[in-house]
Amino acid sequence: MTHTRIRAFNTKDTYPEQNLDNDLAQAVVARGQVIFLRGQCPQDLDTATNIDSHDPVVQTHKVMRNIRQLIEEAGGEMAHLTKLVVYLTDVRHREAVYRTMGEYIRDVHPVCTGLVVVALARPEWLVEIDATAVIPD
């Protein structure tokens, strides 16, 4: 792992009642160039056009691809990801969103906070995720 991950764990152990398999950590110690990403939504980065889906899995794939693309454009890689904040409009989408997100953070172990909110900026958005990454010195 690129950064020091304190108390790395997998959600299948901490939430055995849920069908999750995400590699996370309680804390991340990182040094280097910090990349703060705006909350990413299910829309195209170049056109700001929303994707044509109301499926939380499809929306999460787009959000995570946007995060990966922006980190790479900044000169980093997903291994440099240190923190995610997940905003959901419906708690019933939690497992689907986190399972999908887990495909992108396998072996990375970022810290993660999840929130359920009344709404996002556009009513068709089900998920928004903001991220922080640190490119090591």
Side-chain angles (χ1 to χ4, degrees), residues 85-95 97-98 113-120 126-128:
V85 180
V86 181
Y87 301 89
L88 301 173
T89 58
D90 188 330
V91 71
R92 293 172 293 186
H93 298 314
R94 183 177 183 275
E95 285 188 47
V97 167
Y98 276 66
T113 299
L115 301 154
V116 178
V117 297
V118 173
L120 295 168
L126 305 175
V127 60
E128 180 173 338

Side-chain angles (χ1 to χ4, degrees), residues 31-92:
R31 293 181 62 143
Q33 181 180 359
V34 180
I35 305 165
F36 298 100
L37 299 183
R38 175 178 184 264
Q40 292 303 301
C41 301
Q43 62 181 198
D44 183 87
L45 285 172
D46 295 322
T47 65
T49 303
N50 290 335
I51 63 168
D52 187 25
S53 176
H54 296 292
D55 180 333
V57 170
V58 174
Q59 287 196 11
T60 304
H61 275 297
K62 181 57 179 162
V63 167
M64 292 305 296
R65 285 193 304 267
N66 285 354
I67 288 170
R68 182 177 56 206
Q69 180 179 340
L70 290 167
I71 290 172
E72 289 173 355
E73 287 179 12
E77 57 190 52
M78 288 299 279
H80 301 148
L81 187 64
T82 56
K83 182 172 182 162
L84 296 168
V85 180
V86 181
Y87 301 89
L88 301 173
T89 58
D90 188 330
V91 71
R92 293 172 293 186

